[in-house]
C-alpha cells in the first residue's frame, strides 16, 4: 500500500470525541504519549498507527471510524429505492413487496393482523417517490 494513502489520525478530533487528553488516550491505548502523536505523522516520518487492541479500546470509548480510519460507518441512503417508471413497468414488484411484508409482519406477530395492511400501505407509499397513493391491495 502506498504511504500517501495511509490514513493519519487527527489527534484533536480524537481528543474531542473521547473527551480525553493525550496522556489519557495513551493510557487507554497502552502506549506512550509520543506514540499517540505518531498516529498523526506520515509513515515515512516514523509515523505509526494504533494496534488492533488499541483500536477496539478507542472505539469502545467513543472514537468514530471516521477519525480512526478516514471512513464513515453510517449507512448510505439510496436516492430512490423504487423509481416510479420502474414500478409502472414492473407491477409485480409491488405485489411481491406487499406479500413479503404481510408475511413478515404476521409471522413475527409484530402488530395486530388488522393493522398490517395499513402499515404495509404506508411503507410502500414511503418508499415510492410518488404523490399519488398506490393501491397495493
Amino acid at each position: 500500500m502506498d504511504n500517501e494513502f495511509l490514513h493519519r489520525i487527527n489527534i484533536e478530533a480524537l481528543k474531542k470525541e473521547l473527551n480525553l487528553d493525550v496522556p489519557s488516550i495513551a493510557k487507554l491505548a497502552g502506549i506512550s504519549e509520543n506514540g499517540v502523536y505518531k498516529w498523526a505523522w506520515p509513515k515515512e516520518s516514523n509515523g505509526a498507527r494504533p494496534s488492533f487492541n488499541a483500536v477496539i479500546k478507542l472505539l469502545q470509548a467513543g472514537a468514530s471510524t471516521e477519525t480512526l480510519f478516514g471512513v464513515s460507518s453510517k449507512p448510505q441512503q439510496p436516492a430512490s429505492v423504487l423509481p416510479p417508471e420502474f414500478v409502472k413497468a414492473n407491477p409485480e414488484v409491488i405485489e411481491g413487496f406487499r406479500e413479503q411484508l404481510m408475511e413478515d409482519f404476521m409471522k413475527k406477530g409484530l402488530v395486530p393482523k388488522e393493522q398490517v395492511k395499513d402499515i404495509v400501505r404506508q411503507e410502500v407509499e414511503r418508499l415510492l417517490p410518488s404523490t399519488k397513493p398506490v393501491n397495493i391491495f
Side-chain angles (χ1 to χ4, degrees):
M1 179 179 210
D2 291 334
N3 289 337
E4 64 184 283
F5 295 110
L6 193 58
H7 176 71
R8 293 189 277 172
I9 295 175
N10 180 330
I11 303 302
E12 290 305 312
L14 185 62
K15 287 169 41 179
K16 186 175 180 181
E17 286 176 355
L18 299 178
N19 197 28
L20 296 173
D21 58 10
V22 171
S24 299
I25 294 171
K27 183 174 181 180
L28 177 69
I31 62 172
S32 69
E33 290 178 39
N34 193 41
V36 171
Y37 287 113
K38 285 185 176 186
W39 295 343
W41 300 353
K43 193 81 169 174
E44 60 273 8
S45 298
N46 200 24
R49 300 302 172 262
S51 69
F52 178 79
N53 288 336
V55 167
I56 297 298
K57 290 175 185 176
L58 294 167
L59 287 169
Q60 288 173 334
S64 70
T65 56
E66 192 157 354
T67 297
L68 295 177
F69 303 111
V71 295
S72 175
S73 62
K74 295 176 185 169
Q76 299 295 318
Q77 294 295 322
S80 176
V81 176
L82 295 173
E85 303 79 32
F86 178 80
V87 173
K88 287 178 185 174
N90 301 283
E92 67 277 5
V93 171
I94 293 296
E95 179 60 25
F97 182 65
R98 181 193 68 79
E99 288 176 7
Q100 187 62 54
L101 280 174
M102 294 284 290
E103 183 181 321
D104 290 349
F105 278 131
M106 286 190 229
K107 186 188 303 180
K108 294 178 182 175
L110 297 174
V111 292
K113 286 184 181 183
E114 60 273 4
Q115 291 180 354
V116 170
K117 283 187 179 185
D118 288 335
I119 291 170
V120 170
R121 181 177 289 110
Q122 290 170 10
E123 184 63 12
V124 169
E125 288 173 357
R126 183 185 69 79
L127 292 173
L128 289 175
S130 169
T131 57
K132 295 179 184 178
V134 177
N135 186 4
I136 59 172
F137 297 103

